């Protein structure tokens, strides 16, 4: 990481620039203003975790299939989340805005998976 | 029952005539259990969450009705063609999803009706005929779900 130049170095540098007879490119008097992207409603809107909970009835092969179908994941990713549900009792599948999280919960529950949306901090 | 061909979003499943009859009997008689309400959140109890809960359950009821209408078509006799090695069922990829949803509705519905047991062991000796029936349906639905998914691309 670079450190800020001490004030004394700045003073020496400025003097040498004024003493120089050769034309030089002057430093801009004002620094460029970096525009911040305006915050949209999406930035402020609450987000939700889509969580799938474990149960003893849904088959592992079925849960993997449903994750692949709904999220478009490959088998490896779908199996990772399925095993997390199985071994840890739940898996956070995605974090989305309210509307999209609700959509995913509806889709997962159409397949009878126990999925909910929980507020993200 | 096993997948023998999957191309252009069409799947062919080969099975014994007995399996075909069991699958048809199972799906044609859907639903076996009452609809179980879903929950949208485990932690949120805001008015928005309650509204989402209501919408979810309305949507699930509507969807179950649409599956009930489709059920007989999914196992219509014209889908099952006798072959040298039993029967071949032809089904599109989209229809397979609907069939899976019906089968899993049966499976989860029977599990709910059995009181959501933590273990899927056979019912105890004192169990009722209805409990034995739910247990058998749960396992039969699971067998067909597994057969539909094993070997898929």
């Amino acid at each position: 990481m670079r450190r800020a130049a001490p004030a004394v170095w700045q003073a020496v540098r400025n003097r040498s620039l004024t003493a120089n007879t050769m034309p030089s490119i002057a430093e801009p008097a004002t620094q460029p203003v970096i525009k911040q992207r305006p915050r949209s409603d999406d930035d402020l809107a609450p987000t939700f975790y889509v969580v799938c909970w474990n149960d003893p009835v849904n088959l592992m092969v079925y849960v993997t299939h449903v994750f692949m179908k709904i999220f478009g994941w490959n088998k490896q990713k779908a199996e990772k989340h399925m095993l997390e549900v199985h071994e840890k009792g739940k898996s956070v599948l995605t974090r989305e805005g309210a509307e999209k999280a609700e959509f995913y919960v509806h889709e997962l529950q159409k397949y009878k998976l126990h999925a909910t949306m929980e507020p993200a901090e | 029952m096993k997948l023998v061909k999957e191309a252009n979003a069409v799947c062919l499943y080969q099975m014994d005539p007995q399996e075909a009859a069991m699958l048809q009997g199972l799906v044609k008689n859907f639903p076996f259990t009452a609809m179980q309400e879903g929950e949208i959140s485990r932690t949120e109890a805001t008015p928005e969450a309650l509204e989402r809960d209501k919408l979810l359950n309305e949507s699930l009821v509507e969807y179950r009705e649409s599956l009930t209408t489709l059920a007989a078509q999914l196992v219509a006799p014209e889908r099952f063609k006798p072959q040298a090695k039993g029967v071949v069922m032809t089904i599109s990829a989209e229809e397979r999803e609907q069939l899976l949803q019906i089968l899993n509705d049966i499976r989860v519905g029977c599990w709910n009706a059995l009181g959501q047991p933590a273990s899927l062991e056979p019912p105890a000796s004192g169990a009722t005929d209805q409990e034995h029936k739910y247990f058998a349906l749960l396992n039969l639905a699971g067998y067909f779900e597994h057969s539909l998914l094993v070997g898929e691309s």
Side-chain angles (χ1 to χ4, degrees):
Chain A
M1 188 186 290
R2 287 185 64 182
R3 287 197 312 183
V8 66
W9 292 3
Q10 284 292 337
V12 170
R13 190 161 162 258
N14 291 343
R15 199 166 52 232
S16 71
L17 277 171
T18 48
N20 193 347
T21 54
M22 293 291 285
S24 64
I25 301 169
E27 286 188 33
T30 54
Q31 292 298 311
V33 177
I34 299 165
K35 284 189 178 174
Q36 295 287 324
R37 183 173 65 87
R39 297 188 79 178
S40 71
D41 286 349
D42 285 348
D43 293 333
L44 305 169
T47 56
F48 293 83
Y49 294 122
V50 175
V51 182
C52 188
W53 304 87
N54 190 34
D55 63 53
V57 71
N58 282 298
L59 300 172
M60 290 164 99
V61 66
Y62 179 81
V63 176
T64 303
H65 170 82
V66 175
F67 289 168
M68 288 167 73
K69 206 75 198 168
I70 291 177
F71 296 102
W73 294 342
N74 60 29
K75 196 167 187 175
Q76 194 184 8
K77 184 172 182 183
E79 275 180 345
K80 179 183 155 277
H81 281 276
M82 178 276 293
L83 286 173
E84 199 172 33
V85 173
H86 184 65
E87 289 162 4
K88 296 182 179 169
K90 67 175 181 179
S91 177
V92 174
L93 306 178
T94 184
R95 181 179 178 164
E96 299 287 352
E99 205 174 310
K100 206 160 183 187
E102 198 174 348
F103 166 79
Y104 282 132
V105 172
H106 280 225
E107 291 303 301
L108 290 160
Q109 292 211 15
K110 280 182 186 172
Y111 279 91
K112 295 286 168 194
L113 295 195
H114 189 183
T116 60
M117 55 192 277
E118 307 300 339
E121 288 157 330
Chain B
M1 174 173 157
K2 64 174 182 181
L3 179 69
V4 287
K5 191 177 175 187
E6 184 177 6
N8 304 321
V10 174
C11 312
L12 302 183
Y13 287 91
Q14 188 183 66
M15 61 192 87
D16 296 336
Q18 293 89 341
E19 282 181 304
M22 281 193 285
L23 179 61
Q24 287 175 304
L26 187 64
V27 175
K28 263 198 299 194
N29 293 302
F30 169 79
F32 292 92
T33 54
M35 168 93 188
Q36 183 87 5
E37 286 211 337
E39 60 171 359
I40 199 90
S41 175
R42 280 193 171 188
T43 57
E44 218 189 7
T46 60
E48 290 85 3
L50 294 175
E51 183 60 25
R52 286 191 196 111
D53 240 1
K54 190 168 161 258
L55 282 173
L56 170 70
N57 283 300
E58 282 170 5
S59 156
L60 291 176
V61 166
E62 211 172 286
Y63 192 69
R64 200 182 201 220
E65 282 168 5
S66 74
L67 286 179
T68 307
T69 311
L70 277 171
Q73 296 169 30
L74 291 174
V75 289
E78 54 270 23
R79 290 188 186 277
F80 297 83
K81 303 279 184 217
Q83 304 273 319
K85 289 182 180 175
V87 175
V88 170
M89 175 181 75
T90 305
I91 195 165
S92 73
E94 190 189 345
E95 289 165 338
R96 180 174 63 176
E97 289 307 306
Q98 293 159 342
L99 188 54
L100 276 169
Q101 288 171 341
I102 288 174
L103 291 167
N104 206 50
D105 187 305
I106 295 169
R107 185 170 166 85
V108 175
C110 290
W111 177 70
N112 286 327
L114 286 167
Q116 302 186 341
S119 155
L120 299 179
E121 295 297 313
S125 55
T128 64
D129 288 350
Q130 189 64 22
E131 285 170 331
H132 282 289
K133 181 186 158 190
Y134 284 142
F135 184 74
L137 288 171
L138 180 155
N139 282 296
L140 191 57
Y143 167 74
F144 284 118
E145 280 178 46
H146 187 265
S147 303
L148 282 171
L149 290 170
V150 168
E152 71 164 346
S153 57

